[in-house]
């Protein structure tokens, strides 16, 4: 373990010469816990004093990569899997018990076959202390009766999820206000962390610059991302930068909106259906123009029109409901868009695409992107088409958020590259 820790120290110093998105991807998927996983699964090292030191190295490397101050609470969230609201840069202290117990469960049959008959009933001396430690992690509070029974699955996720759920719930209980609670609920919602899974490839438009990575991570973790200053609109911007996400005087909102629509339009065309942006004469009474429409029928002989919007999770008009249920702002935006385009021409189906600034998706947006991805998969024979499309849209949202926040500074142009 100590050798692996020293190796990670050396690698983390070399990582500083790479772009932030590349560094984050390598730290999550290659250099940190993945290099230690075989040791965690094959050796009972849950009480090793090196494990917390290993976590400190990961924490320091992640803080340097993101250019974000990771205090204890932010590290606790960042070290969770993406599905539980973290960044997916796992800490070994939380993971060690689950890794070892999943390994013992998956090798029990093979071990029994290899041992002589007289030893087959002997208990593995490492299982009892590992199970006891796992139960302490899977209970909240630690002295309570576990809310879940001990898993028998050989899948590591089955052991890991109860511990992560307890950690995520503890963070939620410690939320100090509606904004903090809304942020944590949004981070746990499906699809909100898709940008973290995207490969940092410029050729497919998924590469994010250092500013975008810093702001995206800071918004997810609730870290300070700017110094307090006065926005171009005259209002004060706090350290969290949330004002910029919905400021009507900033140019970033238009950039975010256009990027999402460009990705959607290109995806529909790739699926084999012609589409165009901002069509005329679709709304008979109001003359309003949705963001796009297909030129040929999409389903049941009817064309498809869509209109995208990015409601701000943390806006004063949304934050109270967002702190009670993730996606409430997106649901309200979908209902508002449907009412706005109620007079759309007969023979055209309208679908609102609402994705919050925190990354939470509306239900109709998820359904539409799933259908577009299915059609692309049928054309290109790539079963991950839906996942890739969600990642591109998620990256576009984060780029737009960064443009919005950087646009609050006076006398500066956006420094976020598209």
């Amino acid at each position: 373990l100590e050798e692996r820790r020293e190796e990670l120290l050396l690698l983390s110093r070399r990582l500083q010469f790479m772009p932030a998105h590349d560094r984050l991807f390598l730290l999550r998927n290659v250099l940190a816990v993945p290099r230690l996983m075989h040791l965690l699964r094959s050796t009972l090292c849950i009480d090793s004093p090196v494990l917390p030191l290993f976590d400190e190295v990961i924490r320091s490397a992640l803080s340097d990569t993101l250019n974000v101050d990771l205090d204890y609470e932010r590290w606790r969230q960042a070290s969770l899997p993406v599905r539980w609201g973290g960044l997916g840069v796992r800490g070994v202290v939380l993971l060690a018990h689950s890794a070892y117990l999943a390994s013992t469960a998956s090798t029990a049959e093979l071990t029994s076959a290899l041992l002589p008959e007289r030893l087959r009933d002997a208990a593995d001396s490492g299982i009892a202390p590992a199970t006891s430690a796992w139960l302490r992690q899977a209970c909240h509070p630690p002295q309570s009766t576990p809310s879940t029974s001990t898993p028998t699955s050989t899948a590591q996720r089955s052991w890991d999820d109860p511990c992560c759920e307890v950690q995520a719930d503890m963070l939620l209980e410690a939320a100090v206000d509606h904004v903090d609670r809304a942020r944590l609920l949004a981070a746990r919602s499906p699809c909100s962390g898709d940008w973290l899974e995207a490969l940092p490839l410029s050729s497919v438009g998924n590469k994010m610059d250092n500013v975008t990575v810093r702001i995206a991570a800071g918004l997810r973790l609730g870290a300070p991302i700017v110094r307090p200053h006065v926005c171009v609109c005259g209002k004060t911007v706090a350290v969290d930068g949330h004002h910029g996400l919905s400021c009507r005087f900033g140019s970033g909102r238009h950039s975010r909106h256009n990027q999402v629509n460009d990705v959607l339009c290109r995806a529909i065309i790739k699926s084999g259906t012609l589409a165009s942006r901002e069509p005329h004469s679709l709304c008979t009474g109001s003359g309003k123009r949705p963001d796009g429409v297909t030129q040929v029928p999409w389903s049941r002989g009817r064309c498809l029109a869509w209109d995208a919007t990015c409601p701000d999770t943390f806006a004063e008009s949304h934050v109270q409901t967002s702190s009670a249920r993730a996606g409430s702002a997106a649901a309200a935006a979908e209902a508002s868009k449907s009412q706005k385009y109620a007079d759309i021409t007969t023979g055209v189906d309208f679908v609102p695409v609402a994705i919050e600034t925190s990354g939470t998706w509306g239900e109709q947006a998820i359904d539409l992107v799933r259908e577009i991805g299915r059609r692309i998969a049928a054309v290109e024979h790539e079963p991950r088409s839906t996942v890739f499309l969600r990642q591109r849209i998620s990256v576009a949202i984060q780029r737009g958020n960064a443009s919005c926040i950087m646009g609050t500074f006076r006398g500066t142009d956006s420094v976020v590259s598209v």
Side-chain angles (χ1 to χ4, degrees), residues 309-367:
T309 182
C310 296
D312 182 18
T313 307
F314 310 109
E316 291 183 4
S317 56
H318 295 146
V319 69
Q320 191 162 359
T321 56
S322 296
S323 66
R325 182 175 66 88
S328 58
E334 285 183 339
S336 176
K337 286 290 184 183
S338 296
Q339 184 178 6
K340 177 180 178 180
Y341 292 101
D343 62 338
I344 202 162
T345 304
T346 304
V348 178
D349 290 329
F350 175 75
V351 177
V353 179
I355 307 172
E356 297 180 20
T357 54
S358 61
T360 306
W361 290 53
E363 292 183 3
Q364 294 186 63
I366 291 177
D367 291 341

Side-chain angles (χ1 to χ4, degrees), residues 4 17 33 39 45 83 87 132 140 147 150 167 173 184 192 195 255 257 268 315 318 320 345 355 385 389 393 395 411:
R4 292 303 178 105
F17 301 106
V33 171
L39 190 59
C45 54
R83 63 184 179 276
L87 298 183
S132 177
H140 179 58
S147 58
T150 304
Q167 189 93 320
E173 290 173 8
L184 290 167
S192 67
W195 62 273
S255 171
H257 181 265
I268 290 174
H318 295 146
Q320 191 162 359
T345 304
I355 307 172
S385 295
L389 178 55
I393 295 174
V395 168

